[in-house]
Amino acid sequence: FIGILLITMTSCSSKNDFEKGKQQLENQGYTSITNTNWKSFCCSEKDNFSTGFEAIDKEGRKVEGCICSGVLKGITIRFK
């Protein structure tokens, strides 16, 4: 059980989750998506990782937010 938990935790790195979130944002039309690293107070207490991002939306406006994730949970994208 501990081995499975360790594998799950290490496979949920924020870098890996950023790439998944970036792909979702690109699919929704966002461009110039950059990783702004760890973002405090952006995700819920149920999330283990919080990776900030900046992007350009379809209208050409700069947006900010974070990609949240947790062990045994998918990712959530939150906007400021």
Side-chain angles (χ1 to χ4, degrees):
F1 175 76
I2 292 174
I4 293 171
L5 183 60
L6 287 174
I7 290 170
T8 302
M9 289 177 68
T10 57
S11 68
C12 290
S13 71
S14 60
K15 181 180 179 193
N16 185 33
D17 293 335
F18 174 77
E19 292 301 321
K20 291 177 187 176
K22 181 179 177 183
Q23 183 64 48
Q24 284 188 7
L25 288 166
E26 288 172 342
N27 290 344
Q28 295 175 24
Y30 292 87
T31 60
S32 302
I33 304 160
T34 57
N35 184 337
T36 60
N37 298 311
W38 182 74
K39 194 80 161 174
S40 61
F41 305 111
C42 189
C43 298
S44 79
E45 64 277 353
K46 295 178 184 177
D47 293 305
N48 300 101
F49 300 103
S50 174
T51 306
F53 71 86
E54 293 178 347
I56 304 297
D57 70 9
K58 293 178 187 179
E59 310 296 320
R61 296 175 296 213
K62 180 180 175 182
V63 295
E64 296 180 48
C66 63
I67 299 167
C68 307
S69 63
V71 177
L72 303 177
K73 173 185 177 284
I75 63 169
T76 304
I77 297 174
R78 294 183 184 224
F79 293 92
K80 273 186 150 183

